[in-house]
Every structure is written in structure tokens, then in C-alpha cells.
Amino acid sequence: MQTKLKGKHFITTQDWTVQEINTLFELAKQLKIETAKGQFNDDLKGKSLGMIFFDPSTRTRTSFEAAMTQLGGHSIFFAPQTMQISHGEGAKDTAKVLSGYLQAIAMRHCNYNEGNQYLEEMRKHSKVPIVNMQCDVYHPAQILADYLTIREHFGENTRGLKIGVSWTYAPNYMRPVSVPQSLILLMSRFGMDVTLAHPPEFKLMPDILEQTKKNADEAGVKFEIVNEMEEAFKDADVVVPKSWGPLVHTQNEKEGIALIDKYPDWIANEKRMELTKKHSIYMHPLPADRDKEVTPGVIDGPHSVVYQEAENRLHVQKALLSLIM
Ligand code: CP
């Protein structure tokens, strides 16, 4: 167990050792039981978390705010249009000033080729931890909740489990690649065999694939990329089918939507779930595009753990904030 985590930034799980992440899970489990008993604590009494949202959110905002309240602290919601960011104040001055008032700064900034760079600039100039609430590259808090959910179903030794991460169809807009990228990075470190499925135009970032390959080699597990959804589902213990945009291929919205529209049959349905193991779980970070990404029979069916997964955002984030603030 690694306990010296005060002041540690949380931009990607790659910056945390497996031991450090395990410490967080130990605490999350304890805090979840305390919450179930209606017990809250004062670990963050007098402390404030600033949360800057460049993009909308239901789960992330609510779970971080509730986490701060349940730990006896306070959170402040910022929309950039209500800040001097809207008049051009940059990441450096924002970080230097806010870190004089707050004990941590959390940010969601998903603009492709901008979000992660902005967070890194904040990290460079902040005196307090920077917490990634999703950027164009990573969504680490979501993936902590995902892994806690997997542990709750399969036990703490997840070595040898197969996770299938698959692209799905969803029209209208190009969703970030941060969820599948963070998933493949973390699950490989915890001994899971990872199969990533997507149509050819929906590749993830090359350096993330390289890091995942390295993680998988170090952990002695499999990491494969396939172009058939069925291969991700076949004999899987865990499936996470969700949509993302062809952002590595094109950032042009019109071209991207046209590519998405080529693959409407990439849906998580009952037939595909039958390919998975009997005890398998279906996961999705939500919001899910019902009838497009997933059939109601699957998302509301016996394999689905999506609401437990969403609730676990609260518990892992309480552990994270307690440890770093
Ligand atoms: N899964 C997730 O991050 O949800 P929100 O976009 O609602 O925060």
C-alpha cells in the first residue's frame, strides 16, 4: 500500500503506480460501506475543490460535488463563460490564482488536441493537485469506477478476465476517445486480457496503443485489436461497448458523421451478449444512446451493471479526493 499521495495530480492513471491505485480502491471500498451506513466524515473540512467544466456533465459534476459534501468540504462549479477565461485569461494565470484559494482544481475539457494540453499547462503552474474530469485523451475517474465495479463482481484478483472494449454506432456528434483509451490502459495493468474492436476508421491514438501494449507486456496479458464486434464479445467476462468519434482519422464534423453512419449495425444486442460468458457484465459509462449503441434488453437486462458503475463514481472520487487534498 502506498499512502504518500497528498498533493498528487490525477490527470491519467498512468501517473499512478498499481500500488497507489490499490490504496485508492481499499479506501473506496471502506467509504462505500460507510456511506451505505449513512456515515459521512470531516476529512476535507474547510477545504475547497474548484471544478471547471468546458463541457456538459450529469454524473461527473454531481458525483464530485456530492463527494466534497460527504467529506465535509466544499465545491465550486465554474463554467468558463462566467470566468475571465472567456476574455482570454490563460491556463497559467488561472492555475496560479485559483491554487492560492483552493486545495484542488478539477477540470473537464474535451476539445480534441486542446483539453489535455490545457490540463498539463494547469499542472505546470498549480500549487495544488489538478484532477482530470475528462479530457480529449483520458477519463481516469470513470475508469476507476469501472474497475471498482469489476472487482465487486469478480473479486480483487482480476487476472485472466477478458474485457471486450468495442466501438458502437451513435449518430449526431463525435464523442471523445477518452473512455476507451483510459479503459485499455488501466485494465491491462490489472491483469485483464483486452480485446479492442472498432471499424478501421475509428482507431485510437497511436501513443495510447503503444502504452497499452507496454502495460500488457509488463503484466503478461493479451492486448489485441480487431475489426469485428463479435470478437470483443466472444467469451468475454466484461464488455464495454460504446461510441466514439473517428477523431484520429478526421476532426471534420461532417466527414466524421458520414463515417459513423456507415456502421449502424454496431450495436450491443442480445445476440452479441450470448457470445459472452454466462456470468458476464455489460458496462457503459453513460449517457448511452438507447436503440443505437445498445438495445433496451441489454442495458436493462440481467448482465447490465450501468447504475452500479455510475454510483461507483462517487465512491472512487471520495477516496481520490481524501488521499490527494
Ligand atoms: N460518464 C460521464 O462522465 O458522465 P457525464 O458526462 O454525465 O459526467
Side-chain angles (χ1 to χ4, degrees), residues 56-60 108 139 142 285-286 313:
S57 165
T58 297
R59 278 143 290 268
T60 304
R108 169 169 283 194
H139 195 355
Q142 177 65 54
L286 305 178
R313 293 291 303 274

Side-chain angles (χ1 to χ4, degrees), residues 30-301:
Q30 194 182 312
L31 290 169
K32 186 169 180 176
I33 290 167
E34 283 171 18
T35 307
K37 291 196 285 181
Q39 291 172 353
F40 303 123
N41 66 49
D42 273 340
D43 283 358
L44 297 184
K45 192 172 175 199
K47 296 188 175 178
S48 299
L49 170 74
M51 305 190 305
I52 308 175
F53 279 93
F54 283 77
D55 301 278
S57 165
T58 297
R59 278 143 290 268
T60 304
R61 177 181 175 183
T62 314
S63 55
F64 269 103
E65 285 198 16
M68 284 305 291
T69 304
Q70 292 179 19
L71 294 165
H74 171 63
S75 58
I76 306 168
F77 171 80
F78 298 105
Q81 60 271 29
T82 65
M83 301 173 77
Q84 296 299 3
I85 290 173
S86 62
H87 291 147
E89 188 165 40
K92 177 178 175 178
D93 287 340
T94 303
K96 280 187 176 287
V97 171
L98 291 187
S99 63
Y101 309 138
L102 305 166
Q103 283 65 51
I105 303 168
M107 293 201 53
R108 169 169 283 194
H109 192 337
C110 298
N111 281 6
Y112 199 73
N113 283 335
E114 281 178 41
N116 188 257
Q117 285 171 31
Y118 199 100
L119 273 134
E120 287 298 341
E121 189 66 10
M122 294 283 289
R123 184 209 301 248
K124 209 158 88 188
H125 299 289
S126 173
K127 298 189 286 280
V128 300
I130 299 296
V131 175
N132 187 352
M133 298 192 295
Q134 190 175 19
C135 68
D136 50 332
V137 186
Y138 307 111
H139 195 355
Q142 177 65 54
I143 272 46
L144 291 182
D146 293 357
Y147 189 63
L148 178 62
T149 310
I150 293 169
R151 280 165 76 118
E152 287 174 344
H153 279 270
F154 296 99
E156 286 173 17
N157 181 4
T158 51
R159 178 160 287 276
L161 294 178
K162 172 180 171 178
I163 182 167
V165 177
S166 175
W167 184 86
T168 60
Y169 171 70
N172 303 331
Y173 77 100
M174 302 218 277
R175 290 161 177 82
V177 293
S178 49
V179 167
Q181 296 201 148
S182 289
L183 266 172
I184 63 172
L185 282 170
L186 190 71
M187 299 315 165
S188 53
R189 292 175 79 195
F190 279 90
M192 297 176 71
D193 292 322
V194 178
T195 301
L196 172 68
H198 57 72
E201 303 90 341
F202 292 80
K203 288 190 175 70
L204 300 181
M205 293 172 178
D207 60 320
I208 297 293
L209 298 177
E210 257 171 56
Q211 283 180 61
T212 304
K213 168 107 183 45
K214 195 162 165 274
N215 290 351
D217 287 347
E218 280 171 13
V221 300
K222 277 194 273 187
F223 170 49
E224 58 174 358
I225 305 174
V226 295
N227 290 143
E228 295 291 337
M229 206 172 176
E230 283 71 18
E231 289 184 54
F233 280 65
K234 188 158 177 9
D235 296 326
D237 299 281
V238 180
V239 284
V240 194
K242 90 164 291 297
S243 113
W244 64 83
L247 288 152
V248 175
H249 185 83
T250 177
Q251 281 116 64
N252 179 290
E253 187 80 18
K254 218 170 138 195
E255 269 176 44
I257 301 289
L259 287 172
I260 291 169
D261 284 341
K262 276 173 71 178
Y263 303 103
D265 56 330
W266 281 64
I267 181 168
N269 58 21
E270 287 82 341
K271 196 158 167 251
R272 286 181 170 129
M273 284 306 296
E274 276 172 22
L275 298 171
T276 66
K277 288 202 184 128
K278 199 169 162 218
H279 60 265
S280 70
I281 57 173
Y282 162 85
M283 302 182 75
H284 191 296
L286 305 178
D289 217 328
R290 284 169 176 262
D291 293 313
K292 307 281 193 314
E293 293 187 87
V294 57
T295 59
V298 170
I299 195 168
D300 298 323

